[in-house]
């Protein structure tokens, strides 16, 4: 099976205008939810910001976190000081194909938003895992008969939810799936891996304000 709507995820799709508009809109939404509808406290935020903006050239970044709600991403990036609305610095994220890519409209939306569809249970060598590896490998967008240069690898950031599903239990992270480990091992350049733990996102947008905690 080929890669779903890969053309919409290219940096030069319609000169990058749809991506910039979408990232700005979603980023603004994340800022409002994280800072105005809720109260968010972030520990070691400088670590994430520095790695996203100025890590060593040629070194990719993988961030991993627990998964408490469907709003974890993008709201977890909406804290004050983070460049949430910068399309070039925005993360790539692995997204469940059966939820985020149900039809053409959703597929286009999430593809433009730098999401890579993953088939849960499809194994670590499924086609879209190879696409995620490419985002970490050389900064190029590659597919059959097409090779288009993207951003430099040091600008690439991939976020994963290695538990593989939403879990709202107030307990340690469960056994992790193999996909994230396979990306780390298979990447030609060993990526920086940043673990993130957050709490409170299962009650986001609740009233009175929820206090969300993010630890980096």
């Amino acid at each position: 099976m080929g890669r779903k709507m890969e053309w919409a995820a290219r940096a030069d799709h319609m000169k990058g205008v749809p991506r910039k508009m979408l990232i700005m809109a979603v980023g603004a939404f994340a800022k409002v939810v994280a800072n105005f509808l809720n109260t968010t406290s972030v520990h070691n935020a400088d670590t994430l910001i520095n790695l996203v903006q100025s890590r060593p050239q040629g070194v990719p970044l993988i961030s991993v976190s627990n998964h408490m709600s469907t709003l974890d991403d993008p709201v977890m990036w909406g804290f004050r000081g983070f460049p949430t609305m910068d399309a070039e610095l925005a993360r790539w994220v692995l997204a469940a194909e059966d939820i985020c890519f149900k039809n053409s409209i959703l597929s286009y939306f999430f593809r433009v938003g730098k999401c890579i569809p993953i088939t849960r249970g499809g194994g670590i060598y499924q086609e879209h895992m190879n696409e995620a590896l490419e985002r970490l490998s050389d900064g190029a967008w590659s597919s059959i008969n097409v090779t288009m240069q993207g951003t430099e690898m040091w600008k690439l950031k991939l976020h994963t939810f290695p538990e593989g599903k939403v879990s709202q239990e107030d307990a340690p992270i469960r056994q992790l799936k193999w996909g994230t480990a396979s990306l780390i091992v298979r990447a030609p350049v060993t990526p920086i891996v940043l673990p993130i733990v957050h709490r409170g996102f299962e009650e986001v947008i609740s009233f009175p304000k929820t206090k969300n905690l993010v630890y980096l």
Side-chain angles (χ1 to χ4, degrees), residues 169 189 195:
E169 300 174 6
V189 177

Side-chain angles (χ1 to χ4, degrees), residues 155-175:
K155 295 180 180 178
L156 291 177
K157 175 178 180 291
L158 177 69
H159 184 74
T160 68
F161 297 103
E163 291 178 285
K165 62 181 180 179
V166 171
S167 174
Q168 297 183 354
E169 300 174 6
D170 187 10
I173 294 178
R174 299 162 301 169
Q175 182 176 356

Side-chain angles (χ1 to χ4, degrees), residues 5-204:
M5 209 173 283
E6 184 180 20
W7 52 269
R10 295 173 182 166
D12 67 343
H13 169 56
M14 295 182 66
K15 298 183 178 180
V17 173
R19 175 178 292 180
K20 290 179 181 178
M21 293 179 63
L22 180 60
I23 295 297
M24 287 184 64
V26 174
F29 167 78
K31 292 285 188 185
V32 170
V33 173
N35 300 296
F36 295 100
L37 299 183
N38 298 273
T39 301
T40 303
S41 297
V42 183
H43 298 265
N44 300 322
D46 289 345
T47 300
L48 174 61
I49 294 173
N50 290 336
L51 287 175
V52 169
Q53 294 182 328
S54 57
R55 65 185 175 277
Q57 186 169 354
V59 179
L61 170 66
I62 295 179
S63 57
V64 297
S65 76
N66 54 321
H67 196 10
M68 302 195 75
S69 79
T70 54
L71 286 178
D72 291 352
D73 185 293
V75 174
M76 65 186 298
W77 314 121
F79 63 87
R80 298 181 189 277
F82 189 79
T84 310
M85 293 181 281
D86 189 323
E88 189 173 353
L89 293 179
R91 86 290 171 264
W92 288 89
V93 65
L94 306 182
E97 186 175 32
D98 59 326
I99 296 176
C100 300
F101 296 84
K102 290 181 177 180
N103 54 52
S104 297
I105 295 176
L106 286 176
S107 296
Y108 182 78
F109 177 88
F110 285 104
R111 271 304 206 172
V112 169
K114 301 177 76 170
C115 298
I116 300 173
I118 291 296
T119 302
R120 287 184 282 195
I124 63 175
Y125 295 107
Q126 61 180 282
E127 184 61 28
H128 288 111
M129 282 294 286
N130 293 333
E131 180 183 347
L133 183 63
E134 290 170 10
R135 305 282 67 76
L136 294 171
S137 297
D138 59 7
W141 187 280
S142 302
S143 64
I144 298 177
N145 298 324
V146 177
T147 301
M148 303 188 68
Q149 296 301 317
T151 58
E152 293 84 7
M153 183 166 56
W154 69 272
K155 295 180 180 178
L156 291 177
K157 175 178 180 291
L158 177 69
H159 184 74
T160 68
F161 297 103
E163 291 178 285
K165 62 181 180 179
V166 171
S167 174
Q168 297 183 354
E169 300 174 6
D170 187 10
I173 294 178
R174 299 162 301 169
Q175 182 176 356
L176 306 183
K177 302 295 183 180
W178 291 7
T180 301
S182 74
L183 291 174
I184 297 171
V185 171
R186 294 163 63 194
V189 177
T190 302
I192 296 172
V193 180
L194 178 67
I196 300 174
V197 177
H198 55 76
R199 299 182 62 184
F201 281 87
E202 74 279 13
E203 299 177 0
V204 75

